[in-house]
Amino acid sequence: MNKTLFIFALLFTSICFSQSVRFDGFIQDEQKNPLEMANIMAINNATKGMDSYGITNDKGKFQLTLKPNTAYTIKVSYLGMKSKEITVATKAENMSQNIVLDGAGIELEGVEIVREMPVSIKGDTIVYNADSFKTGTEKKLEDVLKKLPGVEVNADGEIEVEGKKVSKLMVEGKDFFDGDTKLGVKNIPADAIDKIQVLRNYNEVGALKGLENDQDNVAMNIKLKDGKKNFWFGDVTAGIGVGELDSRYIINPKLFYYSPKYSINLITNFNNIGELPLTAQDYFKFTGGFKNMMKKGGSNFNVSSNDLGISLLRNNRAKEIETKFGATNFAYSVNKAWNLSGFGILSTSKTDLETKSQTTILDSGDQQRRDESTSQKNNLGLFKLSSTYKPSDKFQFDYDILTKLTKQEEYSDLFREQIVQNVATSEDIFTTKKQNPTSVNQNLSLYYTQSDKNIFAFEMQHLYQDENPFYNANLQTLPFALSGYVTNPAQARNDYNQNRFVKTNKLDAKLDYYYMVTPKSNINVTLGNTYSYQNFNSHIFQMLDDGTRNDLNNPENNNDVDYNFNDAFVGFHYKILTGKFTLTPGVSVHSYQMTNGQEGTDYSQSFTKILPDFFALYQIKKSETLTYNFSLTNDFTDINQLAAGYVLSDYSSLFRGNRTLENATSQVHSLRYFKYNMFNFENIFANATYTRKVDAIKTEAKFDGINQSSEPYNSNLADETFSGMGAYGRSFLKNYKASVNASLNWSKFNNIQNEELRTTESFVQSYTVRASTNYKNLPNIEFGYNLLVNKYSGSTFYTDKPFAKLDYYFLDSFSFVSEYEFYHYYNGDKTVDNEYDFLSASLIYQKKNSKWEYKVSATNLLNTKYLNDDSFSQFSTRVSQYTVQPRYIIFSMKYNL
């Protein structure tokens, strides 16, 4: 199949190449200086349509692909200069011509022509004209973004531009569910989009723009078509279908309203076809747009989550998923100075998972094989309110509050087989996990510009987190003989239970003062403090066969811990722009104090440390940069690692903390190269990060067969990680796009396993090549290949994945889209060797200018039963096979408002 796709694409490309001629040359000013990023387009005099367009490179060179024997009007524009039109008649041969622009032009005239361009650049903003890239099959923002040069959308709905993640998505300048781009790319209708603006070097606070290093900050703003403003727009979809055993349904209304004064977005989705607008994984990583206040501080104190390891979905491919989802987002301009915005999200899902797995202990080779059936219920709530008050350019006051409410339950029924020293035993195990965590995150910010030289910024953030996970494991064997546990032979089962209660209050505050030494340099002084108070309470008990409860009240089975952490620091940074270089050396001085109280005593630590950091940017050209970052950070654990009583991680893993843990120090070096050439939409990106964590907090693990007992300890050992990625992509002859990318992640860990020092390594590699076409009147194809290599200590797993997508808009009414993925999963010695594939297709009928759309779609047409994956810990490897939803066919109708 791969050869067939390649031959088809090669022939298709060759035919199209043979039907065109090249028109190139240089665009210059009157002094013969090259004009970089000048716009040029070719208008077909017969059809009045734009056949080709281009943007000059740093030498002023342009290149257009035109039809032979055709008359064209060539339009050239450059901001601040007079636009120019020339007439060209092509023949069968390539043509060259230089064009000179007059510098005494009217800027507005240039702006008007630039707006017709499919892509234009003005300063830090790239503007894409959406209609120039649409072929007729696009239904949502995601479909349009995937066709834009330099833009990628991954499976999680995250947008990347020039290799950088888009951190904020806006519509008409108003936040769209701030903190996550998935809801936007999956729901904003494609036909409502006029322009897509990419805002590079983005800073939400205008007063701080240029004072800090914002090179990694990217935002995106969607401009709507005129007919979508001041009117309700959107669509209502309803569909029914059949699956392998039961019926399927989807109800999906989406409504949007935008005006200069306010905006409202409403999104709902009820279905049992596996369509998850927001997964539990999305929920827990949802930031709500809160900034990383202490990124310059030098300390790394992260509050961990007691999430019990509740299983997360692999995209939407579980055995069964039923979802009820509702979300609303609003923005309101009270007056010119005061703006309010916010959102509310409610999601309920029921999920059935079916998994087969094999875990291998690295030291002994002992194995655990599991057949597991899991039922989940997830109730998730997210609520945010934001206020921005900006009476003048000199003062800004922001306040945000984000609340997360969760109720989760997971019930598992598994059959486990242990192979310990070549002896096999088996048993049935039942587990229950429940949790209702709550978190409230508040942010208050004040920005004041006293003068052109003096700027102040005060930021404060408070986190309240309340977690209460409950865990139960009902086994036949006795994995851990805890003190006080009843081991009467009359007991048929072993029923472990654990309650845990963890509360966190964390307050970050800092005051920044910026002094502009010169227009190209500034001094930044930071005063900051991080204070955290946590309480950890846990208790293990046993349920006997007769229903009575046996509390394991011995101190080692219980925790009641208080932990105070305080970091007071002062930082100094100097930023200077000299020639093509931007340099920001910095240093921070920290005073740390930590106290944990448990078992009736307090254990305290205090010390002072100096932490340097350095940033350097080499602006090779306007769109070519090389960036280096160095930081020395102190890494601190939170209360979960300090609690000295036993904690059940799961039925075969027992953990106890260490109250004397100290901090680790990390050296982080990162190097990033980026080049973007609008001449041919060439996009080159490479990034390498090396981290060495010295004096790391390590884990000592002891194994009894496959049952693990572990405890952290202070070590003089180091962990090392190296990650790198690179990508190259470009467009060809307007209608072709190709890319190749690679990512590498290497890790080296040192731990004590069964009282012996062991070094484990993992090396994960991913390589992808892809190519696609973008025609308006011909079928479009995308095809590619991905190779994934997961190399762990003693094991290597491979996944070959060729893929293809076909979309075609025809007869001015029909859209056909089909996607195919083939997987070959195997290990080095071929003891694991599986092949499976997925095929989906949809046919849509919608008359031109009609509000009604009719769709027939089929998922998993080949009725594939399962997928494979693997994972690695510092002590074991795991190979899994999990069941996916069966084939189903849906007929749906959509009404467009």
Side-chain angles (χ1 to χ4, degrees), residues 370-389:
R370 304 195 316 184
D371 288 353
E372 186 171 3
S373 297
T374 301
S375 176
Q376 289 182 3
K377 294 181 180 179
N378 289 296
N379 296 300
L380 311 173
L382 276 165
F383 307 93
K384 183 185 178 185
L385 178 65
S386 300
S387 171
T388 297
Y389 179 65

Side-chain angles (χ1 to χ4, degrees), residues 312-324:
L312 299 176
L313 301 182
R314 291 82 166 177
N315 296 327
N316 63 343
R317 288 171 172 164
K319 181 181 179 182
E320 194 71 34
I321 309 173
E322 185 172 6
T323 301
K324 298 176 182 178

Side-chain angles (χ1 to χ4, degrees), residues 831-842:
T831 56
V832 176
D833 194 347
N834 294 326
E835 293 183 353
Y836 49 91
D837 48 3
F838 289 92
L839 175 65
S840 65
S842 64

Side-chain angles (χ1 to χ4, degrees), residues 335-519:
N335 51 48
K336 290 184 178 181
W338 188 19
N339 291 285
L340 296 173
S341 63
F343 60 75
I345 300 173
L346 292 172
S347 176
T348 298
S349 63
K350 296 180 180 179
T351 308
D352 292 333
L353 299 161
E354 193 173 277
T355 308
K356 295 182 178 180
S357 64
Q358 176 177 300
T359 301
T360 303
I361 307 301
L362 294 176
D363 180 45
S364 63
D366 293 337
Q367 293 183 344
Q368 173 184 223
R369 297 173 182 170
R370 304 195 316 184
D371 288 353
E372 186 171 3
S373 297
T374 301
S375 176
Q376 289 182 3
K377 294 181 180 179
N378 289 296
N379 296 300
L380 311 173
L382 276 165
F383 307 93
K384 183 185 178 185
L385 178 65
S386 300
S387 171
T388 297
Y389 179 65
K390 189 177 180 180
S392 68
D393 291 337
K394 292 190 174 183
F395 180 78
Q396 182 173 331
F397 172 46
D398 295 341
Y399 174 76
D400 306 276
I401 181 170
L402 174 70
T403 302
K404 292 184 177 182
L405 305 173
T406 312
K407 183 178 181 181
Q408 292 182 288
E409 298 178 0
E410 179 178 287
Y411 304 92
S412 295
D413 180 359
L414 64 94
F415 175 78
R416 175 177 74 163
E417 181 183 13
Q418 302 179 59
I419 304 176
V420 178
Q421 297 180 356
N422 297 319
V423 176
T425 59
S426 60
E427 65 174 316
D428 293 311
I429 300 175
F430 307 96
T431 67
T432 299
K433 300 175 182 179
K434 296 181 180 180
Q435 59 185 14
N436 305 304
T438 300
S439 71
V440 180
N441 205 335
Q442 299 180 81
N443 186 83
L444 183 148
S445 305
L446 289 167
Y447 307 97
Y448 175 60
T449 303
Q450 185 185 46
S451 65
D452 291 341
K453 287 185 173 291
N454 300 282
I455 300 164
F456 296 87
F458 174 75
E459 297 174 303
M460 183 170 63
Q461 187 166 300
H462 175 251
L463 169 67
Y464 170 76
Q465 187 168 284
D466 187 357
E467 301 170 290
N468 60 344
F470 168 79
Y471 179 71
N472 165 258
N474 190 300
L475 308 91
Q476 291 175 267
T477 60
L478 182 64
F480 308 109
L482 300 174
S483 58
Y485 191 86
V486 174
T487 56
N488 189 330
Q491 293 290 122
R493 310 265 317 169
N494 294 283
D495 196 323
Y496 285 93
N497 298 267
Q498 178 179 262
N499 286 313
R500 232 187 301 174
F501 303 93
V502 186
K503 288 189 178 181
T504 300
N505 275 281
K506 180 170 175 279
L507 181 66
D508 295 298
K510 71 182 181 77
L511 175 65
D512 280 296
Y513 168 65
Y514 299 89
Y515 176 72
M516 299 297 298
V517 182
T518 69

Side-chain angles (χ1 to χ4, degrees), residues 522-705:
N522 71 75
I523 294 172
N524 169 217
V525 179
T526 305
L527 297 175
N529 194 88
T530 294
Y531 173 76
S532 173
Y533 173 77
Q534 294 180 290
N535 175 261
F536 186 103
N537 189 299
S538 70
H539 175 61
I540 299 176
F541 61 93
Q542 174 192 12
M543 294 301 297
L544 303 178
D545 287 355
D546 61 6
T548 59
R549 170 169 165 161
N550 174 36
D551 288 294
L552 308 186
N553 290 322
N554 290 29
E556 63 267 29
N557 300 324
N558 297 273
N559 284 291
D560 187 1
V561 187
D562 295 324
Y563 178 47
N564 290 278
F565 172 87
N566 194 78
D567 169 23
F569 68 93
V570 58
F572 179 87
H573 290 82
Y574 177 62
K575 179 180 179 180
I576 182 170
L577 283 71
T578 172
K580 293 186 176 182
F581 289 91
T582 300
L583 305 175
T584 310
V587 65
S588 57
V589 182
H590 296 255
S591 175
Y592 298 105
Q593 290 183 324
M594 295 153 284
T595 300
N596 72 79
Q598 53 186 312
E599 300 175 352
T601 61
D602 289 343
Y603 178 80
S604 298
Q605 302 177 62
S606 62
F607 62 95
T608 301
K609 194 154 188 177
I610 299 175
L611 301 172
D613 60 87
F614 181 71
F615 171 87
L617 170 68
Y618 176 33
Q619 192 77 43
I620 304 171
K621 295 178 182 177
K622 281 186 178 181
S623 56
E624 185 177 11
T625 60
L626 182 66
T627 306
Y628 170 72
N629 253 312
F630 164 76
S631 64
L632 188 67
T633 63
N634 267 7
D635 302 325
F636 295 89
T637 183
D638 73 347
I639 198 170
N640 290 275
Q641 294 263 69
L642 303 174
Y646 284 119
V647 174
L648 287 168
S649 300
D650 63 35
Y651 60 83
S652 62
S653 181
L654 190 66
F655 176 84
R656 68 184 307 173
N658 182 345
R659 68 182 305 183
T660 65
L661 291 180
E662 300 173 355
N663 69 290
T665 302
S666 292
Q667 302 176 20
V668 183
H669 303 263
S670 67
L671 189 66
R672 178 196 293 264
Y673 173 78
F674 165 72
K675 181 180 179 182
Y676 191 59
N677 186 351
M678 293 295 289
F679 172 67
N680 54 14
F681 299 109
E682 182 183 58
N683 181 21
I684 304 174
F685 167 73
N687 181 60
T689 300
Y690 171 74
T691 302
R692 179 179 174 84
K693 182 176 290 189
V694 297
D695 298 328
I697 295 173
K698 308 304 299 177
T699 300
E700 180 177 1
K702 296 180 179 179
F703 286 86
D704 179 10

